[in-house]
Amino acid sequence: MIEISNLRKHAKGDAVRLEARIKFLDMTSPYPEKTIYFELDKKYAHMFADDSYDAFILIPLWLAMLHKQDLHICGAVSKKLYHNVKWYVQKIFCDFCDALTPVNVTVDNFTDPPKKYGKIIGTGISGGVDSLSTIQDHFVNERDTHFKINALFYFNCGTRSDFGDEKWQETVSNRLASAKLAAKELGLPCYYLNTNLHAFRKMQDWTKVLYIANYSCVLSLSRAISSYYVPSGFNYQQMKKFGNRFRNNDMAEFCESYLVPLIGNERTDLILDGGQYRRVDKLKKIVDWDIAKKYLNVCNRYTADGSNCGACDKCLMTLLPLEIMGKLDDYAGVFDVEEYRTKAEDYKRQCVEKYGKSPFSTENVDFAKENNFIIGTSK
Ligand SMILES: [Zn+2]
């Protein structure tokens, strides 16, 4: 059995931690960490949900299913989240990953119904195309305060970093600085939350589970957050057409359309946003926005200054539609455009070869055709 216990909020220098112990009772833990924690600037200590283990259930559930151990939470969990985990989430995890087995999940009790709700409507500011599209739609262009974003978040949970790797930490610091500058220009607060959830990546490919780490960060702040927009990677058609191709590979692209609505609790809703657009349409929507020109950041490689390398898959799939729109030079300040130019012909050829098989190659070929831009012998 895996047991989660000893939930506490405590000061750690200038930070405050929400922390719980994780204990493997019937096997030796293969992980060096003895606790799971979330960490914020101590000014924001009131945002942590220290009356609930909700933030400590998803990654432990994955580990329990992976190691074929039951999971017990020695404390209170949201009744809604527990119900969804017990009846639906485990089945989705099993469908996604062959290595997982259903387990028993038990809790001591349930959190009390909320007496008041947080006022934050938030989203992440990774600087990626999906994130900026959501911010543009639901902050810049949103008039209804019921839906309008009023805070941004940067979660250091392994989406673009390795736990304990100082080289990556430098990249995270540079990207955080850029996110804070963007938030300041937008006139929004930007909260940085650090966690050690990605220390539990040692036994598996982290891309499979990093999204549930991200959702867990939101749940850790459910005293403050009432709604949180989760920017989607795919549009609705791509979810249907390509979802199964990401089985055993990328959880968000496999199942986020039906997983995300199951993750909230009585205080916090997670809303999947952006499925109405292809990625190229999001890029077209934000391409002339000064915030995008200054802060667009999609790269998944290490760069010393945190900028876009211009050569990785994420950079290439962003730069090709920018070239198609004639906007490459507008983004020379944030991408290594010269590096892109050395890779572009090969990448375009690959897109044509992968047409119908890869979602982003397919939409880039379609986008070229829609704009009368020749990228080879495409349809
Ligand atoms: Zn890159």
Side-chain angles (χ1 to χ4, degrees), residues 125-127 154 171-186 190 291 294-297 305-308 334:
I125 178 151
S126 67
Y154 193 102
T171 304
V172 168
S173 298
N174 287 325
R175 286 177 176 163
L176 173 64
S178 173
K180 283 185 169 174
L181 283 174
K184 193 173 175 191
E185 282 195 39
L186 289 162
C190 178
I291 293 287
K294 285 165 75 173
Y295 299 109
L296 183 62
N297 193 305
D305 62 358
S307 63
N308 298 285
V334 287

Side-chain angles (χ1 to χ4, degrees), residues 76-262:
V77 169
S78 146
K79 189 175 268 192
K80 177 181 173 184
L81 182 60
Y82 178 70
H83 176 86
N84 288 343
V85 160
K86 186 177 163 187
W87 286 99
Y88 315 122
V89 172
Q90 286 206 59
K91 173 63 177 156
I92 296 170
F93 282 7
C94 285
D95 285 352
F96 169 62
C97 180
D98 291 335
L100 302 186
T101 307
V103 297
N104 287 320
V105 181
T106 49
V107 301
D108 278 356
N109 48 56
F110 298 113
T111 40
D112 294 330
K115 293 191 180 69
K116 61 178 189 177
Y117 296 86
K119 294 194 168 78
I120 287 180
I121 299 169
T123 194
I125 178 151
S126 67
V129 172
D130 303 320
S131 151
L132 291 183
S133 171
T134 289
I135 294 167
Q136 188 190 53
D137 278 359
H138 299 295
F139 173 65
V140 178
N141 296 329
E142 182 63 72
R143 294 285 165 263
D144 188 334
T145 53
H146 190 74
F147 298 105
K148 189 178 178 81
I149 288 167
N150 55 24
L152 300 171
F153 292 86
Y154 193 102
F155 300 143
N156 182 24
C157 63
T159 47
R160 293 193 196 173
S161 64
D162 278 341
F163 184 79
D165 184 325
E166 285 183 16
K167 196 173 77 166
W168 269 106
Q169 197 51 47
E170 188 188 329
T171 304
V172 168
S173 298
N174 287 325
R175 286 177 176 163
L176 173 64
S178 173
K180 283 185 169 174
L181 283 174
K184 193 173 175 191
E185 282 195 39
L186 289 162
L188 285 169
C190 178
Y191 300 101
Y192 172 67
L193 183 141
N194 192 28
T195 173
N196 70 339
L197 283 173
H198 45 317
F200 294 88
R201 61 179 293 170
K202 304 294 181 192
M203 295 292 285
Q204 68 258 227
D205 181 352
W206 186 244
T207 59
K208 288 180 186 167
V209 290
L210 62 86
Y211 298 96
I212 54 174
N214 201 46
Y215 311 152
S216 301
C217 292
V218 178
L219 293 172
S220 77
L221 301 169
S222 65
R223 261 197 211 284
I225 298 175
S226 61
S227 302
Y228 190 91
Y229 290 102
V230 176
S232 71
F234 281 174
N235 75 358
Y236 296 127
Q237 286 299 328
Q238 289 168 332
M239 291 173 198
K240 287 186 277 190
K241 185 171 180 186
F242 293 103
N244 266 336
R245 290 174 190 258
F246 290 85
R247 191 167 175 274
N248 275 316
N249 179 354
D250 184 313
M251 182 184 280
E253 286 164 352
F254 177 75
C255 63
E256 67 182 355
S257 60
Y258 48 93
L259 177 63
V260 169
L262 297 170

